[in-house]
Amino acid sequence: MQRKAYVPGVALLVVLVAGCSSGSGTDGTATDSKAGVPKAAAAPPGRYRTLPEPCRAVNKGVLKDMLPGAAELPDDQKAKAYAGAAELTYDTDRRVGCRWKDEAPDAVRRLYVDFERVVSYDPAVSDDDRAKAVYGKKESAAKLPTAKDGGKDTSRPGGGTGKSGNPSGTPSGKPSGLRVQNQAASPTTPPASSGPPATTPDGLKPRILTGLGDAAYLDDALTASGSAAQRRTVTVVFRTSNVIVTVEYTEQPSSPSATAPDSQELQEKTQALAAKLAELFGD
Protein backbone atom coordinates (compact mmCIF):
# COMPACT_ATOMS: atom_id res chain seq x y z
CA MET A 1 0.00 0.00 0.00
CA GLN A 2 1.43 3.37 -1.08
CA ARG A 3 1.52 6.10 1.52
CA LYS A 4 0.51 9.71 0.66
CA ALA A 5 3.06 12.37 1.28
CA TYR A 6 2.26 14.41 4.37
CA VAL A 7 2.99 18.15 4.53
CA PRO A 8 2.79 19.73 8.00
CA GLY A 9 0.24 22.56 8.32
CA VAL A 10 2.83 25.22 9.12
CA ALA A 11 4.98 24.26 6.17
CA LEU A 12 1.95 24.36 3.86
CA LEU A 13 1.04 27.87 5.09
CA VAL A 14 4.56 29.12 4.39
CA VAL A 15 4.39 27.77 0.84
CA LEU A 16 1.02 29.40 0.18
CA VAL A 17 2.09 32.81 1.55
CA ALA A 18 5.32 32.71 -0.46
CA GLY A 19 3.38 31.92 -3.61
CA CYS A 20 0.90 34.79 -3.13
CA SER A 21 3.52 37.39 -2.29
CA SER A 22 5.81 36.43 -5.11
CA GLY A 23 5.35 38.89 -7.95
CA SER A 24 8.45 37.92 -9.77
CA GLY A 25 8.62 38.40 -13.50
CA THR A 26 10.29 36.11 -15.91
CA ASP A 27 13.62 37.71 -15.09
CA GLY A 28 13.19 37.13 -11.38
CA THR A 29 12.67 40.81 -10.48
CA ALA A 30 9.76 42.02 -8.32
CA THR A 31 6.91 43.74 -10.14
CA ASP A 32 4.27 46.14 -8.87
CA SER A 33 0.74 44.84 -8.41
CA LYS A 34 -0.37 47.66 -10.79
CA ALA A 35 2.15 46.91 -13.47
CA GLY A 36 1.99 49.21 -16.45
CA VAL A 37 0.23 52.06 -14.54
CA PRO A 38 2.79 54.81 -13.94
CA LYS A 39 2.50 56.78 -10.73
CA ALA A 40 1.70 60.52 -11.20
CA ALA A 41 4.65 62.71 -10.27
CA ALA A 42 3.98 65.42 -7.70
CA ALA A 43 3.77 68.94 -9.14
CA PRO A 44 6.88 71.05 -8.52
CA PRO A 45 6.84 73.51 -5.62
CA GLY A 46 6.86 77.26 -6.15
CA ARG A 47 10.06 79.18 -6.66
CA TYR A 48 9.68 81.29 -3.53
CA ARG A 49 9.51 79.88 0.00
CA THR A 50 9.61 83.18 1.92
CA LEU A 51 8.49 86.79 1.49
CA PRO A 52 10.25 90.16 1.87
CA GLU A 53 9.58 92.31 4.91
CA PRO A 54 6.98 94.70 3.42
CA CYS A 55 7.60 97.78 5.56
CA ARG A 56 11.27 97.66 4.59
CA ALA A 57 10.64 96.80 0.96
CA VAL A 58 9.96 100.44 -0.01
CA ASN A 59 13.06 102.62 0.22
CA LYS A 60 12.98 106.03 1.84
CA GLY A 61 13.50 107.90 -1.41
CA VAL A 62 10.31 106.42 -2.87
CA LEU A 63 8.40 107.14 0.33
CA LYS A 64 9.48 110.78 0.26
CA ASP A 65 8.11 111.09 -3.25
CA MET A 66 4.82 109.31 -2.59
CA LEU A 67 4.25 110.78 0.89
CA PRO A 68 5.45 114.41 0.51
CA GLY A 69 3.67 115.69 3.59
CA ALA A 70 5.82 113.60 5.91
CA ALA A 71 8.84 115.77 5.13
CA GLU A 72 7.28 118.64 7.11
CA LEU A 73 6.75 116.60 10.27
CA PRO A 74 8.99 116.64 13.36
CA ASP A 75 11.75 114.06 13.19
CA ASP A 76 10.05 111.53 15.47
CA GLN A 77 6.74 111.72 13.60
CA LYS A 78 8.54 111.67 10.28
CA ALA A 79 10.35 108.46 11.20
CA LYS A 80 7.06 106.89 12.26
CA ALA A 81 5.36 107.93 9.01
CA TYR A 82 8.11 106.41 6.88
CA ALA A 83 8.23 103.23 9.00
CA GLY A 84 4.67 102.29 8.06
CA ALA A 85 2.33 99.94 9.91
CA ALA A 86 2.57 96.20 9.31
CA GLU A 87 -0.64 94.31 8.59
CA LEU A 88 -1.69 91.75 11.16
CA THR A 89 -0.89 88.29 9.84
CA TYR A 90 -0.61 84.82 11.34
CA ASP A 91 1.74 83.33 8.77
CA THR A 92 4.44 85.67 7.51
CA ASP A 93 5.63 83.02 5.06
CA ARG A 94 2.27 83.14 3.28
CA ARG A 95 1.12 86.78 3.36
CA VAL A 96 2.44 90.10 4.62
CA GLY A 97 1.53 93.75 4.06
CA CYS A 98 2.32 97.30 5.15
CA ARG A 99 0.39 100.59 5.12
CA TRP A 100 1.52 104.20 5.11
CA LYS A 101 -0.58 107.36 5.59
CA ASP A 102 0.38 110.94 4.76
CA GLU A 103 -1.85 113.82 5.90
CA ALA A 104 -0.51 116.91 4.14
CA PRO A 105 -2.26 120.32 3.98
CA ASP A 106 -3.23 119.77 0.34
CA ALA A 107 -4.27 116.11 0.42
CA VAL A 108 -4.36 112.80 2.25
CA ARG A 109 -2.31 110.06 0.61
CA ARG A 110 -2.24 106.38 1.44
CA LEU A 111 0.10 103.64 0.27
CA TYR A 112 -0.39 99.91 0.68
CA VAL A 113 1.92 97.05 -0.30
CA ASP A 114 0.91 93.39 -0.07
CA PHE A 115 2.88 90.19 -0.75
CA GLU A 116 1.04 86.88 -1.06
CA ARG A 117 2.85 83.56 -1.51
CA VAL A 118 0.46 81.05 -3.03
CA VAL A 119 0.77 77.39 -2.04
CA SER A 120 -1.12 74.55 -3.68
CA TYR A 121 -2.19 71.74 -1.41
CA ASP A 122 -3.10 69.56 -4.37
CA PRO A 123 -0.08 67.42 -5.29
CA ALA A 124 -1.27 67.39 -8.91
CA VAL A 125 -1.32 71.23 -9.13
CA SER A 126 1.87 73.26 -8.89
CA ASP A 127 2.17 76.39 -6.76
CA ASP A 128 2.71 78.42 -9.94
CA ASP A 129 -0.50 77.11 -11.52
CA ARG A 130 -2.42 77.83 -8.36
CA ALA A 131 -0.96 81.35 -8.28
CA LYS A 132 -2.06 81.85 -11.90
CA ALA A 133 -5.60 80.98 -10.90
CA VAL A 134 -5.56 83.34 -7.91
CA TYR A 135 -4.13 86.16 -10.01
CA GLY A 136 -6.68 85.46 -12.76
CA LYS A 137 -9.55 85.95 -10.30
CA LYS A 138 -8.11 89.30 -9.21
CA GLU A 139 -7.76 90.45 -12.80
CA SER A 140 -11.30 89.35 -13.64
CA ALA A 141 -12.67 91.15 -10.57
CA ALA A 142 -11.02 94.39 -11.77
CA LYS A 143 -13.22 94.26 -14.92
CA LEU A 144 -10.65 95.90 -17.12
CA PRO A 145 -11.92 97.45 -20.38
CA THR A 146 -11.51 95.19 -23.39
CA ALA A 147 -11.08 95.80 -27.09
CA LYS A 148 -14.76 95.00 -27.69
CA ASP A 149 -15.69 98.05 -25.59
CA GLY A 150 -14.45 100.24 -28.42
CA GLY A 151 -12.03 102.09 -26.17
CA LYS A 152 -14.77 103.06 -23.72
CA ASP A 153 -14.62 102.10 -20.09
CA THR A 154 -18.13 100.65 -20.20
CA SER A 155 -17.64 98.42 -17.18
CA ARG A 156 -17.60 101.49 -14.92
CA PRO A 157 -20.65 103.67 -15.70
CA GLY A 158 -19.76 106.55 -13.41
CA GLY A 159 -21.08 107.60 -10.01
CA GLY A 160 -19.61 106.44 -6.73
CA THR A 161 -18.16 103.29 -8.26
CA GLY A 162 -17.08 104.82 -11.52
CA LYS A 163 -13.50 104.56 -12.72
CA SER A 164 -11.68 107.02 -14.86
CA GLY A 165 -8.09 107.65 -15.78
CA ASN A 166 -8.52 111.41 -16.34
CA PRO A 167 -11.54 113.49 -15.34
CA SER A 168 -10.74 116.25 -17.82
CA GLY A 169 -12.15 114.32 -20.74
CA THR A 170 -9.12 115.23 -22.82
CA PRO A 171 -8.84 112.95 -25.87
CA SER A 172 -5.43 111.51 -26.34
CA GLY A 173 -3.68 108.99 -28.50
CA LYS A 174 -0.41 109.50 -26.65
CA PRO A 175 1.33 106.58 -25.02
CA SER A 176 1.24 106.41 -21.24
CA GLY A 177 4.88 107.43 -21.04
CA LEU A 178 3.94 110.99 -22.06
CA ARG A 179 2.42 113.25 -19.47
CA VAL A 180 -1.19 114.32 -20.03
CA GLN A 181 -2.19 117.43 -18.09
CA ASN A 182 -5.69 117.90 -16.68
CA GLN A 183 -7.52 120.84 -18.20
CA ALA A 184 -9.29 123.21 -15.86
CA ALA A 185 -13.05 123.17 -16.25
CA SER A 186 -14.78 126.35 -17.39
CA PRO A 187 -17.24 128.08 -15.01
CA THR A 188 -20.15 126.83 -17.10
CA THR A 189 -19.05 123.19 -16.99
CA PRO A 190 -21.50 121.09 -14.92
CA PRO A 191 -20.21 118.89 -12.09
CA ALA A 192 -18.84 115.54 -13.24
CA SER A 193 -21.45 113.65 -11.23
CA SER A 194 -24.34 115.29 -13.11
CA GLY A 195 -23.11 114.44 -16.58
CA PRO A 196 -21.96 111.36 -18.48
CA PRO A 197 -18.82 109.54 -17.32
CA ALA A 198 -15.58 111.22 -18.32
CA THR A 199 -13.67 109.85 -21.27
CA THR A 200 -10.37 108.30 -20.28
CA PRO A 201 -7.39 108.78 -22.59
CA ASP A 202 -6.41 105.44 -24.09
CA GLY A 203 -2.96 105.47 -22.50
CA LEU A 204 -4.39 105.86 -19.00
CA LYS A 205 -7.27 103.38 -18.97
CA PRO A 206 -7.19 100.43 -16.56
CA ARG A 207 -5.22 97.87 -18.53
CA ILE A 208 -2.94 94.86 -18.75
CA LEU A 209 0.71 95.74 -18.18
CA THR A 210 3.67 94.15 -19.93
CA GLY A 211 7.23 93.76 -18.74
CA LEU A 212 6.28 93.42 -15.08
CA GLY A 213 6.58 89.94 -13.57
CA ASP A 214 4.86 87.04 -15.32
CA ALA A 215 1.54 88.90 -15.56
CA ALA A 216 0.33 92.31 -14.39
CA TYR A 217 -2.49 94.81 -14.62
CA LEU A 218 -3.27 98.38 -13.55
CA ASP A 219 -6.58 99.66 -12.24
CA ASP A 220 -7.54 103.32 -11.76
CA ALA A 221 -10.60 104.31 -9.73
CA LEU A 222 -12.00 107.82 -9.26
CA THR A 223 -14.55 107.93 -6.47
CA ALA A 224 -16.72 110.77 -5.16
CA SER A 225 -18.46 110.48 -1.80
CA GLY A 226 -21.01 113.11 -0.87
CA SER A 227 -19.45 116.53 -0.41
CA ALA A 228 -15.95 115.11 -0.05
CA ALA A 229 -13.31 115.63 -2.70
CA GLN A 230 -12.88 113.02 -5.39
CA ARG A 231 -10.51 110.26 -4.34
CA ARG A 232 -8.33 108.48 -6.86
CA THR A 233 -6.88 105.03 -6.21
CA VAL A 234 -4.37 103.44 -8.55
CA THR A 235 -3.67 99.75 -8.07
CA VAL A 236 -0.98 97.63 -9.71
CA VAL A 237 -1.08 93.86 -9.25
CA PHE A 238 1.54 91.52 -10.65
CA ARG A 239 2.50 87.86 -10.32
CA THR A 240 5.98 86.44 -10.33
CA SER A 241 6.05 82.65 -10.08
CA ASN A 242 4.02 81.77 -6.97
CA VAL A 243 3.99 85.27 -5.44
CA ILE A 244 1.35 87.95 -6.09
CA VAL A 245 2.23 91.56 -5.29
CA THR A 246 -0.29 94.38 -4.87
CA VAL A 247 0.57 98.09 -4.74
CA GLU A 248 -2.27 100.50 -3.97
CA TYR A 249 -1.79 104.30 -3.95
CA THR A 250 -4.61 106.69 -3.01
CA GLU A 251 -4.82 110.48 -3.03
CA GLN A 252 -7.74 112.63 -1.87
CA PRO A 253 -7.51 116.46 -1.90
CA SER A 254 -8.33 118.24 1.36
CA SER A 255 -10.66 120.70 -0.36
CA PRO A 256 -13.90 119.34 -1.91
CA SER A 257 -13.59 121.91 -4.70
CA ALA A 258 -10.06 120.87 -5.61
CA THR A 259 -9.28 119.30 -8.97
CA ALA A 260 -9.34 115.51 -8.94
CA PRO A 261 -5.89 113.93 -8.43
CA ASP A 262 -3.93 113.58 -11.66
CA SER A 263 -4.23 110.07 -13.05
CA GLN A 264 -0.96 110.14 -14.96
CA GLU A 265 1.08 111.19 -11.93
CA LEU A 266 -0.37 108.55 -9.62
CA GLN A 267 -0.01 105.84 -12.24
CA GLU A 268 3.64 106.71 -12.87
CA LYS A 269 4.50 106.58 -9.17
CA THR A 270 2.61 103.35 -8.56
CA GLN A 271 4.15 101.59 -11.55
CA ALA A 272 7.63 102.79 -10.59
CA LEU A 273 7.23 101.31 -7.10
CA ALA A 274 5.86 98.04 -8.50
CA ALA A 275 8.90 97.76 -10.77
CA LYS A 276 11.23 98.21 -7.80
CA LEU A 277 9.38 95.56 -5.82
CA ALA A 278 9.64 93.17 -8.76
CA GLU A 279 13.41 93.48 -8.50
CA LEU A 280 13.23 91.87 -5.05
CA PHE A 281 12.20 88.66 -6.79
CA GLY A 282 14.87 88.74 -9.48
CA ASP A 283 17.50 86.10 -10.04
Side-chain angles (χ1 to χ4, degrees), residues 210-266:
T210 58
L212 180 62
D214 297 318
Y217 71 86
L218 178 147
D219 203 0
D220 188 323
L222 184 63
T223 307
S225 177
S227 60
Q230 296 183 91
R231 179 178 70 252
R232 184 178 298 284
T233 300
V234 173
T235 305
V236 171
V237 179
F238 70 89
R239 180 186 70 83
T240 175
S241 187
N242 61 316
V243 172
I244 298 174
V245 180
T246 300
V247 181
E248 185 178 281
Y249 186 40
T250 301
E251 180 177 324
Q252 182 171 16
S254 301
S255 172
S257 61
T259 303
D262 183 70
S263 184
Q264 179 72 20
E265 180 179 0
L266 268 65

Side-chain angles (χ1 to χ4, degrees), residues 54-128:
C55 292
R56 297 180 182 178
V58 185
N59 66 54
K60 193 172 182 179
V62 172
L63 291 173
K64 286 182 177 180
D65 183 44
M66 302 183 80
L67 311 173
E72 306 301 323
L73 297 174
D75 290 344
D76 57 337
Q77 297 181 35
K78 184 189 304 183
K80 185 177 180 180
Y82 289 147
E87 289 280 271
L88 178 63
T89 179
Y90 298 99
D91 188 350
T92 55
D93 284 336
R94 289 291 305 276
R95 190 162 195 170
V96 291
C98 190
R99 295 183 183 275
W100 294 262
K101 184 178 181 180
D102 176 35
E103 297 185 81
D106 64 325
V108 175
R109 299 174 180 84
R110 292 179 174 85
L111 175 64
Y112 173 58
V113 170
D114 176 88
F115 298 119
E116 179 182 2
R117 187 175 69 91
V118 180
V119 176
S120 171
Y121 292 102
D122 184 346
V125 179
S126 69
D127 292 346
D128 279 20

Side-chain angles (χ1 to χ4, degrees), residues 153 156-158 163-170 192 195-201 205 222:
D153 191 359
R156 301 162 177 90
K163 297 198 175 185
S164 168
N166 189 337
S168 68
T170 305
T199 301
T200 305
K205 288 181 181 295
L222 184 63

Side-chain angles (χ1 to χ4, degrees), residues 127-152:
D127 292 346
D128 279 20
D129 287 341
R130 177 58 184 158
K132 289 179 184 178
V134 173
Y135 168 84
K137 289 182 179 180
K138 291 177 179 289
E139 184 181 298
S140 297
K143 297 181 180 178
L144 307 179
T146 62
K148 67 180 180 180
D149 297 328
K152 296 179 181 179

